[in-house]
Amino acid sequence: MEKHYLRIDSLSKYILKDLSISFDSKSFVTILGPSGSGKSTILNVLAGILQPDSGKILLNKKDITNKPPNKRNIGMVFQDYGLFPHMTALQNVEFPLKIRKEVSAIPAMRMLDKLDLTAHYSKYPHELSGGQKQRVAIARALVYKPDILLLDEPFGSLDVILRNQLQEEIKNIHNETQSLMINVTHDIAEAFILSDTIVIIKDGKVKQIGTPKEIYNNPNDDWVESFIHDGLSHIKKMRKIV
Amino acid sequence: MRILPLIIAMLFGFVFPIGYMMSYSVTTTKLQQSLPATIENPSYESLAYDLSQDYSRSASLYINSYLPGTRSMVIKARNDIGNATQPYKDWFISKDERWEDPKLWNLIKEHGDGFTLDNLKKAMSGVYLQVLFNTLSLGALITIVTLLIAYPTSMYLTSIKNKWLFGLSIFCVLLPFFTSYLSRLVAWIVILPEFNLIHNTAGIFIGSVYILLPLCILPLYTVMKNIDYSTVNAAKICGANKLQTFVYSYLPQTKLGVINSVLITFITVIGFYTTPALLGGGSGKFVTEQIVYHIEISLNWGLASALTATLTAITFILFLIYTRVNYVK
């Protein structure tokens, strides 16, 4: 584990003002916060889709702030999949390898196999279910072994059963690849189940960083406490009934 | 059953009038109507009989349309037919030697059966083939240039976030679209001579591109605004540079818009009449100009309708492609 593998230094963009966080390698981080708190903006700045107004991003001690997205070697999974509609599942997964002029078919097929998509490799996105689409998107983001995987509410548009399945799979993939994954969500249960580290943000500011246990047992302030407990209340209610 | 009214409307409003007009291109009934006895039995006696009858009034027109310059010959003979003397052959030849021309008698024989492919053959050969080729090639060039301007314009339109700026931009695209076709052309007629760009191909070119731009932009814009922008971001993050992102992710997703824009623009431009007539100075480069000439001036409706038929056939094929691309998946 490398400390401060990815560092965000006094970053400003939209709602984010002078934000600094650092992430360790090999960890699974979830950025948790209510809608409009700036969590997706963080991911988009990390991916290079948005240019920050000020501040720096350091990946493995190298400044990548001004690098375009294609030079960053970062993978990203979007809530609405972002699959190329004119390409089959296999072509979608091959795309990043082809762009890099690498051998594509075998690793892409292997990645599809890993995500249980072998039977669907020749289908177009519109022929796939929501869960299958998201698996293809994950396969496409992982196939070129990115340094970081960014997950922008990847389970948001899936039903509960699929969500649980895919969360499990992501967790397994993370255990296997041991690369830094940063997940953005407003689903508090998801954050607790998946993450080594949770970053809670509100109005563009970090409220608390810690392991799920630390945050659950020692919330920094009343807002964090009620935010978490409101978010988990349905689980508690369920426990009472059962 | 619910499409029955649609089919009836199509039959009465489209198939019947167009079909009736097109029938002129393959029939010669007019000659039959004006010279029935001669067609039945080609001889100077029958000709003299037909010309003495009221129904032969338009014979001069139709003979003239196949044998240019013979109109006055037929009119003269017809006006003087009361004084005709036997043998009629000598009388006709004494009026005009061209009555002996075998071309005339072949024409009468060939048109006897009422069906002819002459007009269609003529419309697809020689100078008319050249005109058709001019129309299609100039139309293709105009379409390509229009598309090259419309594509980035539509991309720009989809990228505008500010709603006032967007409203203003859409207004700029649509205002000319809804302004009378003629007033826009007249404006060009005023301006183009300043740059010596009227009454030539350049004039037609500029006028057509300008008229067609909104027509080309709208289908493109409709497709572009529905593109999920995360596919563009995804391509970049996957490692594609700006050009690769455009070529592999954006452009293929606009394919349908491009096909539609090209077809609509091309179909419209090959049917243009006003623009080439007003800005091209009646150079006759377009099939449409030839059609109007043959309807209004030379009165050769058979040829006019044959020319229309070739143009309609091309349009129909393009329209089939359009329907196939858009509605039959």
Side-chain angles (χ1 to χ4, degrees):
Chain A
M1 168 108 61
E2 266 179 70
K3 291 276 177 194
H4 313 305
Y5 178 66
L6 175 67
R7 280 177 56 187
I8 297 174
D9 252 1
S10 57
L11 176 95
S12 294
K13 180 75 183 178
Y14 303 146
I15 194 170
L16 306 176
K17 296 276 179 314
D18 207 22
L19 179 88
S20 298
I21 325 174
S22 74
F23 305 94
D24 304 332
S25 69
K26 300 179 182 177
S27 57
F28 195 114
V29 183
T30 295
I31 301 173
L32 186 63
S35 304
S37 55
K39 41 191 202 307
S40 282
T41 309
I42 298 176
L43 281 201
N44 287 332
V45 169
L46 285 176
I49 297 168
L50 288 177
Q51 267 299 310
D53 299 333
S54 66
K56 266 185 189 167
I57 302 161
L58 300 164
L59 175 62
N60 210 0
K61 291 174 195 114
K62 273 178 229 138
D63 189 345
I64 59 161
T65 321
N66 294 315
K67 273 194 181 179
N70 55 318
K71 297 267 195 277
R72 293 191 179 194
N73 201 37
I74 284 176
M76 186 158 174
V77 178
F78 302 85
Q79 181 177 4
D80 49 4
Y81 321 119
L83 294 177
F84 309 122
H86 55 289
M87 295 186 195
T88 63
L90 179 62
Q91 287 168 337
N92 264 284
V93 179
E94 278 182 313
F95 179 78
L97 299 173
K98 282 193 168 161
I99 286 290
R100 289 172 169 73
K101 301 195 165 55
E102 286 173 18
V103 183
S104 60
I106 297 168
M109 218 41 216
R110 234 178 246 154
M111 194 48 90
L112 283 172
D113 192 42
K114 188 182 272 182
L115 283 146
D116 222 3
L117 288 161
T118 315
H120 308 292
Y121 79 96
S122 62
K123 287 185 183 164
Y124 285 89
H126 68 93
E127 297 169 311
L128 298 170
S129 70
Q132 288 165 344
K133 276 188 237 187
Q134 203 52 291
R135 280 163 205 268
V136 176
I138 292 167
R140 185 181 64 183
L142 286 171
V143 75
Y144 53 98
K145 301 191 175 67
D147 298 329
I148 310 169
L149 182 68
L150 306 175
L151 302 151
D152 190 2
E153 301 199 37
F155 316 112
S157 41
L158 306 178
D159 67 57
V160 182
I161 295 170
L162 265 176
R163 199 182 298 174
N164 294 341
Q165 264 179 19
L166 217 53
Q167 282 170 359
E168 188 115 337
E169 280 178 54
I170 281 280
K171 192 70 191 162
N172 290 338
I173 289 169
H174 177 250
N175 289 337
E176 201 180 306
T177 59
Q178 291 287 307
S179 59
L180 173 58
M181 291 191 181
I182 303 173
N183 179 35
V184 150
T185 187
H186 54 246
D187 183 336
I188 292 157
E190 178 187 314
F192 275 82
I193 293 162
L194 288 178
S195 323
D196 311 323
T197 309
I198 295 177
V199 180
I200 296 182
I201 66 165
K202 183 194 177 231
D203 299 330
K205 292 204 169 61
V206 176
K207 285 298 231 179
Q208 188 167 2
I209 302 181
T211 63
K213 214 171 186 175
E214 282 165 5
I215 289 180
Y216 190 81
N217 294 326
N218 302 304
N220 264 359
D221 58 20
D222 290 351
W223 184 84
V224 174
E225 184 170 14
S226 67
F227 177 66
I228 288 166
H229 288 275
D230 289 351
L232 298 175
S233 62
H234 62 291
I235 296 175
K236 288 175 193 156
K237 272 182 212 155
M238 198 181 75
R239 276 211 194 112
K240 259 179 217 162
I241 297 165
V242 183
Chain B
M1 218 52 210
R2 272 175 292 177
I3 63 162
L4 199 64
L6 205 62
I7 292 174
I8 292 171
M10 163 110 173
L11 282 176
F12 278 90
F14 184 79
V15 177
F16 175 69
I18 296 234
Y20 185 75
M21 191 270 295
M22 296 252 178
S23 70
Y24 275 88
S25 63
V26 290
T27 53
T28 56
T29 52
K30 292 292 166 177
L31 202 60
Q32 262 183 332
Q33 280 165 13
S34 47
L35 301 172
T38 321
I39 280 164
E40 183 86 29
N41 173 28
S43 67
Y44 289 97
E45 285 73 25
S46 321
L47 189 62
Y49 173 77
D50 276 338
L51 289 183
S52 68
Q53 301 299 311
D54 213 34
Y55 54 68
S56 65
R57 207 181 304 118
S58 54
S60 59
L61 260 179
Y62 289 98
I63 293 176
N64 186 66
S65 67
Y66 292 98
L67 302 170
T70 55
R71 190 168 177 201
S72 60
M73 169 187 97
V74 181
I75 291 172
K76 268 184 210 155
R78 193 167 178 275
N79 288 344
D80 208 24
I81 201 76
N83 307 321
T85 50
Q86 292 216 7
Y88 290 121
K89 184 177 179 180
D90 296 343
W91 182 81
F92 272 109
I93 291 166
S94 73
K95 299 294 284 183
D96 194 317
E97 280 179 2
R98 284 178 296 169
W99 281 113
E100 222 181 356
D101 192 345
K103 273 192 215 152
L104 173 73
W105 292 96
N106 278 339
L107 179 75
I108 289 169
K109 254 181 237 161
E110 275 169 19
H111 287 62
D113 57 1
F115 173 82
T116 178
L117 288 174
D118 282 5
N119 292 318
L120 285 172
K121 276 185 204 155
K122 203 170 175 185
M124 307 265 259
S125 60
V127 65
Y128 295 106
L129 193 65
Q130 187 61 48
V131 170
L132 190 65
F133 179 74
N134 281 348
T135 309
L136 297 182
S137 53
L138 191 57
L141 196 63
I142 288 169
T143 306
I144 290 167
V145 172
T146 310
L147 180 71
L148 289 179
I149 301 173
Y151 198 95
T153 312
S154 312
M155 272 178 89
Y156 169 71
L157 281 175
T158 52
S159 75
I160 303 173
K161 300 241 159 51
N162 181 312
K163 66 175 181 179
W164 289 104
L165 196 60
F166 175 76
L168 185 68
S169 310
I170 273 289
F171 183 78
C172 291
V173 172
L174 288 181
L175 182 68
F177 191 56
F178 289 120
T179 307
S180 155
Y181 188 82
L182 207 59
S183 55
R184 283 186 288 162
L185 277 181
V186 168
W188 281 111
I189 291 175
V190 175
I191 291 170
L192 288 178
E194 303 278 334
F195 306 96
N196 231 344
L197 286 171
I198 202 162
H199 293 178
N200 52 33
T201 312
I204 300 179
F205 199 91
I206 294 169
S208 302
V209 169
Y210 171 71
I211 299 264
L212 290 165
L213 262 176
L215 208 61
C216 193
I217 287 174
L218 292 176
L220 274 174
Y221 172 75
T222 316
V223 168
M224 284 177 178
K225 90 170 184 292
N226 286 321
I227 290 180
D228 175 4
Y229 206 75
S230 59
T231 58
V232 173
N233 287 333
K236 287 184 195 160
I237 293 168
C238 282
N241 61 31
K242 279 181 181 164
L243 182 68
Q244 288 169 325
T245 301
F246 177 74
V247 172
Y248 297 122
S249 177
Y250 194 81
L251 188 64
Q253 295 189 61
T254 61
K255 195 175 87 184
L256 189 67
V258 171
I259 293 172
N260 283 347
S261 281
V262 163
L263 286 174
I264 289 175
T265 310
F266 189 70
I267 288 173
T268 311
V269 73
I270 61 173
F272 261 2
Y273 169 69
T274 330
T275 314
L278 291 180
L279 299 180
S283 56
K285 281 202 169 65
F286 269 63
V287 177
T288 47
E289 290 176 277
Q290 297 292 336
I291 294 170
V292 173
Y293 171 81
H294 286 299
I295 285 177
E296 290 187 340
I297 316 255
S298 86
L299 299 177
N300 188 347
W301 288 15
L303 185 57
S305 107
L307 289 168
T308 313
T310 56
L311 209 55
T312 311
I314 292 167
T315 309
F316 188 68
I317 292 166
L318 293 173
F319 181 70
L320 280 184
I321 298 172
Y322 176 86
T323 321
R324 171 130 185 89
V325 169
N326 283 287
Y327 301 107
V328 189
K329 289 281 155 71

